[in-house]
């Protein structure tokens, strides 16, 4: 019997498989596709996902090499039509600025202080092969591409997945102790379990055109940007750079529900958004919807939901896949703890308790972002191309709306407030601001990043294979360490002298979980060490 069966090998399933294998847990991953997704959906990889990849033998460096290379800043352009008037240019640090960290860039972009990474532009068509190569390096992970799960049954002590070879129709069964559905937004597993989704549900419909156009940059003359919003009333949408030179995507915001998709000629749509004709080869067309949906339940017995199977967002803000990667990281260490005998069953229940509120938070932030864009689109004057006052009015609105692209707080600032496996210390929760990061060790927070004198990050202090007890000079917690070890928790103890790290710790003692979140903090060895140890490992062993 395999410990874990993963259904779906998109970015979330692959990350879960890698994280489990790295934690020493074998898994079988079943994916019906043979190759990467044909039409890249996600293009923004957030800083938190890159921080997780950093902890996986510096996978972040391979991902950055596969990403769109960018000497210039990360730009989001707002125009009426792309070859027409530029209305505003939002900037954040581009990939090279993030890599080099020149003092001028550090002074200019405060997000460079919050994480080793910023916004990384990489389409799923480029990210998935890097993740797949990493997955293939894991001896404990068995990959079954070209196989579709057609049914499953929960049995005593496990799950039986029934799978079918897509090419031949041959059938097999896989027995596992746990199953994780990473099978995307239409999740058959979620439906089969009768799990409903809450939220606003299906919202606006859109159509995306993926195309090759080597002359695209020359056609508009505005240089390389990551996103180009077009706000002319008959051409609402956004161009996205896929490789930065010849492949592009256009998301056409299809605001009128009465329109018929078949009537939309890609050439008409693309040329209208550009404001003139340009040569392109259409590679793919995808119809999709904005959603704000979060599953009511994330666990049913031995089955868990993760990624889009558990939550669907509006892509504005680039949070959907990144939230799913966070799900995978959270669930992996908990499954590993239970498989290795030291995690209590409460640890597995804490997956939903921790991740569902994060998904709600992120889905609401994303929907609010999209609503602001909708509001601006609704105010665009019909004479925008010819009237300077109309463009000025729109520019003011864009300035107000574009602040949402300062999204470091969205990606880095979520915390596991009220988690059953985090020990609160009675201090007030720091502000949760999507636009900025408030570095904190408030219990449940991500342990903050800072550069240490030896060139490493405070994030590198975290032992991803177990818990880490950080102790500033003069502090120690032998009682807590002994209680954790007595309950089977793998614990690394680190004495911290670097003033940057000591400052970020905010307390002399900080206990970190394998995912880098704060489980407990204090000034001295706690008297109730045994109870703390029991709480953070999820109660009694399962
Ligand atoms: C236009 C658009 C832009 C987006 N931009 C961003 C962005 O910039 N940043 C971001 O973070 N997110 C973004 N997202 C969201 C992101 O694409 C998804 O959140 C992400 O793909 C979810 O990954 P997943 O692995 O959960 O699901 P999926 O990527 O959907 O993968 C599910 C996998 O399961 C497989 N599968 C399904 N059923 C079975 C079965 N029965 N048996 C075997 N295999 C099965 C499928 O073949 C698929 O490979 C965007 C989404 C859209 C639509």
């Amino acid at each position: 019997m395999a410990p874990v069966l993963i259904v779906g090998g998109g970015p979330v399933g692959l990350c879960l498989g890698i994280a489990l294998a790295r934690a020493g847990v074998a898994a079988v991953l079943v994916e019906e596709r043979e190759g990467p997704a044909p039409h890249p959906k996600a293009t923004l990889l957030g800083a938190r996902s890159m921080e997780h990849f950093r902890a996986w033998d510096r996978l972040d460096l391979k991902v950055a090499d596969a990403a769109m290379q960018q000497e210039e800043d990360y730009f989001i352009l707002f125009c009426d039509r792309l070859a027409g008037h530029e209305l505003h240019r939002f900037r954040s640090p581009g990939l090279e600025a993030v890599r080099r960290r020149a003092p001028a860039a550090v002074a200019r972009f405060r997000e460079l202080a919050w994480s080793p990474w910023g916004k990384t532009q990489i389409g799923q068509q480029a990210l998935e092969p890097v993740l797949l190569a990493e997955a293939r390096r894991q001896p404990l992970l068995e990959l079954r591409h070209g196989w579709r799960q057609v049914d499953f049954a929960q049995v005593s002590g496990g799950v039986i997945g029934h799978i079918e070879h897509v090419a031949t129709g041959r059938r097999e069964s896989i027995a596992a102790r746990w199953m994780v559905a990473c099978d995307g937004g239409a999740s058959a597993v979620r439906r089969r379990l009768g799990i409903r989704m809450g939220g606003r549900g299906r919202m606006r419909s859109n159509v995306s055109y993926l195309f090759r156009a080597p002359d695209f940059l020359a056609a508009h003359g505005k240089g390389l940007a990551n996103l180009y919003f077009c706000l002319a009333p008959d051409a609402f949408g956004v161009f996205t750079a896929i490789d930065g030179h010849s492949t592009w995507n256009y998301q056409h915001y299809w605001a009128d529900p009465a329109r018929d998709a078949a009537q939309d000629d890609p050439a008409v749509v693309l040329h209208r958004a550009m404001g003139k004709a340009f040569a392109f080869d259409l590679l793919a067309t995808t119809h999709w919807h904005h959603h704000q949906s979060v599953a009511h339940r994330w666990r049913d017995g031995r089955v868990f939901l993760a990624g889009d199977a558990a939550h669907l967002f509006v892509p504005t803000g680039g949070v959907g896949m990144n939230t799913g990667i966070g799900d995978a990281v959270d669930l992996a260490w908990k499954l590993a703890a239970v498989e290795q005998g030291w995690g209590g069953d409460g640890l597995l229940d804490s997956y939903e308790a921790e991740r569902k509120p994060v998904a709600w938070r992120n889905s609401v932030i994303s929907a609010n972002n999209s609503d602001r864009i909708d509001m601006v689109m609704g105010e665009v004057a019909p004479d925008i191309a010819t009237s300077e006052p109309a463009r000025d009015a729109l520019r003011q609105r864009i300035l107000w709306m574009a602040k949402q692209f300062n999204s470091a707080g969205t990606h880095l600032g979520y915390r596991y407030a009220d988690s059953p496996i985090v020990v609160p210390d009675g201090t007030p929760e720091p502000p949760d601001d999507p636009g900025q990061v408030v570095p904190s060790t408030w219990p449940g927070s991500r342990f903050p990043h800072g550069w240490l004198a030896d060139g490493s990050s405070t994030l590198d202090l975290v032992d991803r294979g177990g818990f880490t007890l950080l102790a500033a000079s003069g502090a120690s917690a032998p009682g807590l360490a002994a209680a954790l070890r007595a309950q089977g928790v793998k614990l690394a103890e680190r004495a911290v002298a670097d003033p940057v790290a000591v400052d970020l710790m905010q307390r002399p003692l900080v206990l970190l979980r394998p995912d880098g979140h704060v489980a407990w903090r204090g000034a001295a060895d706690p008297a109730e060490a045994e109870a703390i140890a029991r709480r953070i490992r999820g109660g009694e062993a399962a």
Side-chain angles (χ1 to χ4, degrees), residues 299-323:
R299 177 181 184 184
D300 185 296
R302 291 182 164 265
V303 179
F304 298 87
L305 307 181
D308 274 19
H311 45 73
L312 279 167
F313 302 168
V314 179
T316 322
V319 199
M321 176 185 69
N322 290 296
T323 306

Side-chain angles (χ1 to χ4, degrees), residues 8-25:
V12 175
L14 287 170
C15 285
L16 178 65
I18 294 167
L20 283 169
R22 291 185 58 86
V25 176

